[in-house]
Amino acid sequence: MKSLLPMILATLLLAGCASSPQQANDEELTKSEAEALVAGLIAEDADESEKYIYQFQHRILPEWTHHSDGQFYDELRAGDDSYFREVATEILGEDYANSIEIQSIENEEAVLINFPEPKSFTHCYAVLILKNPNVEGAVDTFQYITLEKTLPHDDHPRLAVLGNWNAEGSHGNFGARTYTDAQTFLEDVLYGNREMYMSSTPASASENN
């Protein structure tokens, strides 16, 4: 995978998560300039981890899932989470990074990422990365499915929303959920209506428990 700081920098800047000094050409940033700019972005918020959790979960990880030619998924499947934790620590702090649990699902082409309890709406309880069935002669493709904290509603005992990010950068919504734990999330996706999730057509999904 690409070097650490340029990928962090590009993702944070494209997402518009903070203002930054104007550059003539982002691609011409030297390593020292990139380091200084990232450090400045992080230092702008007293609670740096909270500010950047969304960017990590909804920008950086989907980007790696869909655009690393399968390397990110393969590393996690093989139990190599060193790069993941390096970036998480750089952006979110050591305590948060060390609290993230990563599980390669036995007998499934799937990796479950379980995050600390979210404080803010849209932040994820967990993420499931699914490898799509192989098509001969085609590159590997993946699904990035999220379990996100949501606002409560008087007419529905919802606690979370099931969503996804596709390779084109669009966010989908599979409907409200009444659970927040990673195990139920895993069972819902893998053993509930798996074909729907693998189809990448969340607009047609109905609400489930």
Side-chain angles (χ1 to χ4, degrees), residues 3-107:
S3 58
L4 172 63
L5 283 168
M7 289 194 72
I8 297 173
L9 178 63
T11 305
L12 293 179
L13 289 177
L14 288 173
C17 64
S19 59
S20 59
Q22 191 170 18
Q23 301 289 336
N25 187 338
D26 288 343
E27 295 180 355
E28 296 176 357
L29 286 175
T30 65
K31 181 179 179 181
S32 61
E33 288 171 335
E35 289 173 343
L37 189 49
V38 170
L41 290 172
I42 291 175
E44 285 181 0
D45 197 322
D47 188 357
E48 63 190 42
S49 65
E50 190 65 19
K51 182 174 183 179
Y52 291 104
I53 287 171
Y54 181 90
Q55 305 303 328
F56 185 71
Q57 295 173 342
H58 292 274
R59 294 290 185 267
I60 293 174
L61 297 187
E63 174 71 17
W64 290 351
T65 297
H66 294 300
H67 301 293
S68 67
D69 295 325
Q71 185 174 351
F72 175 58
Y73 172 84
D74 290 342
E75 288 177 355
L76 296 187
R77 282 285 291 174
D80 180 5
D81 63 358
S82 57
Y83 186 82
F84 176 100
R85 294 197 185 277
E86 181 182 1
V87 175
T89 299
E90 180 77 17
I91 300 174
L92 307 175
E94 186 174 0
D95 289 345
Y96 188 93
N98 289 341
S99 298
I100 300 171
E101 299 175 351
I102 302 174
Q103 178 184 358
S104 181
I105 307 304
E106 188 175 359
N107 300 321

Side-chain angles (χ1 to χ4, degrees), residues 167-184:
E168 290 72 40
S170 296
H171 184 263
N173 187 338
F174 291 108
R177 295 298 188 271
T178 59
Y179 63 81
T180 61
D181 63 288
Q183 186 58 41
T184 305

